[in-house]
Amino acid sequence: MDRFRLLVEAVQDYGIFMLDPAGIVRSWNLGAARLKGYEASEVIGQHFSIFYPDDARAARWPDEELRIATRVGKYEEEGWRVRKDGSRFWANVVITALRDPSGTIVGFGKVTRDLTERREHTEALRQSEERFRLLIEGVRDYAIYMLDPQGIIQSWNSGAELIKGYSAQDVIGKHYSMFFRSEDVAAGLPEKELHDALQGGRTEEEGWRVRKDGSTFWANIVMTPIHVGGVLHGFAKVTRDMTERIRLRDLEHSSQRMNEFLAMLAHELRNPLAPIRNAVSILQLEPAPSTTVRTSRDMIDRQLSHMTRLVDDLLDAGRLTSGKIRIKPEQTLFNQVVAVSVEALRPEMDARSHTFVLDMPPDNIWVNADPTRLAQVLQNLLGNACKFTPHGGHIRLTARIANARLRVEVSDNGVGIEPAALEHIFELFSQGDGLAASRQSGLGIGLSLARSLVEMHGGTISATSGGTGKGSVFSFELPGATHDSDALSDGGAGDDGPGGGVLVVDDNRDAADSLAEILRLLGFKVRTAYDGAAALTAVRHETPAAMLLDIGMPDMDGPAVLRAVRELPGGDTVFACAVSGFGAEDEKAGRADFRGFDARLQKPVDLEDLRVLLEKSQAVRLPGGM
């Protein structure tokens, strides 16, 4: 058993010692002396509680650790410990109960690691031959074994068997290169590991190792040469399975790449959606269309809105998982948020002949929230109600304030939710597995996004249902609500001044021409340019009152065009609006620069957003404009 004793004595990076059943220190290795500052003569015969802070000793926590170890076989924790000089260090501690063949407790093996510097070293204890063997066998989270000077395996603990899959009989007497991949053996890595340990006095590395069944795992390896009287006696080796950590790192990397892909995909999808949205808006402005045209137009509009929401959901999925969603709370008129949200879902409710009831106090409701994100929450809940409420059903939105908290409920008499599905309804990509037959199209992102946004506002959200066919109620609460209708007031708009109309700049001709046609139908004087150079020529010829400027153009992008326009005479008076396929929260450094723009629109451009923007721009309409 000398191998076990030598192994334990040589380990200096771990404190390993033995306690008798009462917690009295009976052995003390070099690592313990180095870690705690005590010599063996100072601690042997002392109760191990001397290593604990005063509060832990006062609570008799050391004795509780021994009781737990006796009851369950092993106790592990992390916490503060005290050195001889009174300084503290953060330690990982493992206490293993040691029993004789009859099952009687004969003592405890204790291993302490100093995690203050995040160093993980070999653990062992000094004790009699039998106790050393029991201690090493009790360590199961690390493979701890001895090699002779040539790398032949001399000992094998239960942790090694658990991690590598070999029994002691399988490996003792064989060269440890059997744990390396064939290509690593061919490259001489086992011999290099032994050489580096001898040269440096210790070596630590990470790499792939092979189990008995041929599977590989990512291992952290610490190897320490053992010298007796100046003669190399062998090597102590400690191996830890780090596969799960590597897997998590790879998952994080994959998640980042997926988020970047989703952002680019959403951008590319928005580009073709922009001219389609413009074309629909043109048809909506066309006077007295035929019934067939009107029906087809409205159908395209509904499906286009649905597709746009799916694109936004794709982007929000990446934002959720990467924590990129941000809110900008401000004093917000909740009544206006409700009006916008209901109006967005009105076509869908009308298409299904839903009866909608809005139950709100007569006074204005103000709440400290991000108006855009709050509208997103409401639209997700109302959209969910529409989706799962059959033709002719009823939907109700109720809002009340109590104790400065806004409580909102969206209820319906739709298909309802089974109890099992309620537990997962707010999880990402959940589509209501409890109601598989009633699933509708979607990505299962809306409710998860709603929960995240509500919680980011400091609120709570929940769902209830009487079961299948009994409808459902989704409710959320937000803090910082008031009935004070005078909390904010809008400033007056300035008078329209003279201007040179609107200049639309986009390298996508369909997008530029269709947006220009909408502006003409709205009564504005419009010019178009299909690249940066043409835009500058148009501005030099006549300074526009407003510019709708695409961000992502080749050769000369939108920010570059704007900078050049600002340098031209009268260019600093132009109202410049960026038009982009990227969402504001997904711009990467260097991808786009929105400095200097007065406003921003996202493709596909919404008609009402365009109306509001141009009213602010002071671009003059032509006589007879809408």
Side-chain angles (χ1 to χ4, degrees):
M1 295 300 167
D2 285 344
R3 291 190 299 270
F4 288 110
R5 181 177 58 78
L6 291 173
L7 168 63
V8 173
E9 288 178 347
V11 175
Q12 299 187 33
D13 298 318
Y14 294 79
I16 305 175
F17 51 97
M18 293 291 298
L19 308 176
D20 70 10
I24 303 301
V25 180
R26 292 305 184 192
S27 71
W28 195 246
N29 80 329
L30 293 177
R34 179 175 176 270
L35 182 64
K36 299 177 182 290
Y38 292 95
E39 296 298 327
S41 59
E42 295 177 289
V43 295
I44 290 178
Q46 298 284 337
H47 194 271
F48 82 114
S49 60
I50 65 173
F51 310 131
Y52 287 70
D54 292 341
D55 54 349
R57 293 204 305 272
R60 301 186 64 82
W61 184 245
D63 294 332
E64 179 63 19
E65 289 181 348
L66 296 185
R67 283 193 290 270
I68 296 173
T70 300
R71 186 173 67 252
V72 302
K74 185 178 83 168
Y75 176 78
E76 181 173 0
E77 72 159 4
E78 291 187 7
W80 291 110
R81 294 296 182 268
V82 182
R83 297 187 177 94
K84 178 182 177 181
D85 62 7
S87 63
R88 291 188 171 199
F89 66 100
W90 187 257
N92 172 271
V93 178
V94 178
I95 300 176
T96 303
L98 305 177
R99 299 177 184 271
D100 62 18
S102 67
T104 302
I105 292 288
V106 296
F108 300 91
K110 188 168 184 183
V111 182
T112 302
R113 288 187 294 158
D114 184 357
L115 295 184
T116 309
E117 299 294 332
R118 294 295 175 186
R119 302 180 66 186
E120 299 173 342
H121 301 308
T122 315
E123 299 180 6
L125 292 175
R126 287 182 302 177
Q127 190 51 276
S128 66
E129 296 178 355
E130 180 61 19
R131 289 186 175 183
F132 285 125
R133 186 186 65 80
L134 289 173
L135 172 62
I136 296 300
E137 286 300 318
V139 178
R140 297 176 59 83
D141 298 325
Y142 295 82
I144 304 176
Y145 53 100
M146 286 285 294
L147 307 177
D148 72 7
Q150 288 73 44
I152 303 301
I153 302 168
Q154 300 296 303
S155 69
W156 196 248
N157 79 328
S158 59
E161 182 173 350
L162 183 65
I163 293 174
K164 297 179 181 288
Y166 292 97
S167 67
Q169 185 178 0
D170 293 330
V171 298
I172 290 179
K174 297 181 180 179
H175 197 273
Y176 88 113
S177 61
M178 63 188 294
F179 308 132
F180 288 73
R181 298 181 300 178
S182 58
E183 57 267 36
D184 294 334
V185 174
L189 289 187
E191 291 77 11
K192 182 178 183 300
E193 192 174 82
L194 296 175
H195 177 267
D196 290 345
L198 281 175
Q199 293 296 313
R202 175 182 176 275
T203 184
E204 180 174 359
E205 67 172 7
E206 293 190 2
W208 291 110
R209 294 297 183 265
V210 183
R211 295 187 176 93
K212 181 179 180 180
D213 61 6
S215 63
T216 57
F217 67 100
W218 188 259
N220 173 271
I221 300 103
V222 176
M223 181 178 286
T224 305
I226 308 299
H227 291 88
V228 179
V231 178
L232 178 65
H233 187 77
F235 300 87
K237 189 167 185 183
V238 180
T239 301
R240 184 181 180 187
D241 187 350
M242 307 290 285
T243 308
E244 189 62 27
R245 180 181 296 183
I246 297 300
R247 184 179 294 112
L248 290 175
R249 185 186 67 187
D250 292 343
L251 284 174
E252 290 175 357
H253 180 63
S254 298
S255 176
Q256 178 182 355
R257 295 180 63 184
M258 179 58 71
N259 292 337
E260 293 173 355
F261 167 75
L262 290 176
M264 183 59 66
L265 175 63
H267 172 265
E268 294 302 320
L269 290 175
R270 283 191 179 119
N271 275 332
L273 289 178
I276 298 175
R277 168 61 70 189
N278 294 340
V280 171
S281 299
I282 292 171
L283 292 175
Q284 290 173 333
L285 295 171
E286 186 71 21
S290 67
T291 302
T292 301
V293 171
R294 184 169 57 252
T295 301
S296 299
R297 177 199 67 191
D298 293 343
M299 178 185 65
I300 295 173
D301 183 52
R302 289 192 300 272
Q303 296 303 315
L304 182 60
S305 297
H306 180 63
M307 183 176 293
T308 301
R309 286 199 299 271
L310 289 178
V311 171
D312 290 338
D313 281 351
L314 271 176
L315 210 51
D316 284 332
R319 294 170 183 161
L320 276 175
T321 56
S322 61
K324 291 172 60 178
I325 288 183
R326 297 290 183 268
I327 62 171
K328 299 178 180 179
E330 61 184 59
Q331 197 68 7
T332 299
L333 180 58
F334 181 68
N335 306 62
Q336 184 175 355
V337 174
V338 171
V340 170
S341 302
V342 172
E343 184 62 26
L345 272 297
R346 180 66 69 179
E348 189 171 345
M349 288 189 284
D350 290 344
R352 295 177 177 237
S353 299
H354 289 157
T355 300
F356 177 73
V357 176
L358 179 60
D359 181 9
M360 294 180 63
D363 295 335
N364 286 336
I365 294 176
W366 297 89
V367 63
N368 186 35
D370 184 320
T372 301
R373 291 305 187 180
L374 184 53
Q376 196 170 5
V377 172
L378 280 177
Q379 289 176 29
N380 279 332
L381 297 184
L382 288 171
N384 189 73
C386 291
K387 186 184 300 183
F388 292 101
T389 300
H391 190 275
H394 303 280
I395 300 173
R396 185 184 189 91
L397 191 155
T398 303
R400 294 288 187 272
I401 292 180
N403 300 321
R405 292 181 69 86
L406 170 64
R407 179 175 176 83
V408 180
E409 289 187 355
V410 176
S411 58
D412 62 68
N413 65 340
V415 297
I417 308 171
E418 292 182 358
L422 279 173
E423 299 178 6
H424 309 286
I425 198 70
F426 290 105
E427 295 178 0
L428 189 61
F429 303 123
S430 172
Q431 293 180 309
D433 291 343
L435 291 173
S438 301
R439 286 187 184 176
Q440 304 290 325
S441 59
L443 299 174
I445 296 173
L447 292 179
S448 178
L449 177 63
R451 179 182 65 178
S452 295
L453 294 176
V454 168
E455 291 177 349
M456 291 174 71
H457 282 84
T460 58
I461 190 169
S462 62
T464 59
S465 175
T468 305
K470 296 182 180 181
S472 59
V473 179
F474 286 83
S475 60
F476 67 89
E477 291 188 5
L478 296 179
T482 178
H483 283 294
D484 185 6
S485 59
D486 297 324
L488 292 177
S489 61
D490 294 329
D495 296 333
D496 287 344
V502 182
L503 176 62
V504 178
V505 185
D506 198 321
D507 64 308
N508 186 324
R509 288 176 175 260
D510 287 340
D513 293 343
S514 56
L515 183 56
E517 184 62 26
I518 292 174
L519 294 172
R520 292 190 185 98
L521 290 172
L522 291 174
F524 289 95
K525 175 184 176 183
V526 189
R527 291 176 293 160
T528 56
Y530 305 123
D531 57 52
L536 294 179
T537 300
V539 174
R540 292 189 185 99
H541 178 73
E542 181 180 0
T543 303
M547 291 178 63
L548 299 179
L549 189 54
D550 182 37
I551 285 293
M553 296 187 296
D555 299 328
M556 192 177 190
D557 62 11
V561 173
L562 179 61
R563 288 192 294 270
V565 167
R566 296 302 193 203
E567 296 296 325
L568 296 176
D572 57 345
T573 66
V574 177
F575 182 90
C577 174
V579 182
S580 173
F582 285 109
E585 296 171 349
D586 298 284
E587 294 297 339
K588 304 293 184 182
R591 178 180 286 172
D593 182 1
F594 291 95
R595 288 175 297 181
F597 285 95
D598 301 297
R600 173 177 176 167
L601 289 173
Q602 184 171 289
K603 296 179 180 180
V605 176
D606 182 79
L607 180 59
E608 186 58 31
D609 291 342
L610 185 61
R611 289 179 191 268
V612 173
L613 177 74
L614 291 175
E615 287 176 1
K616 296 179 180 179
S617 73
Q618 300 187 15
V620 177
R621 293 186 181 185
L622 297 173
M626 298 177 64

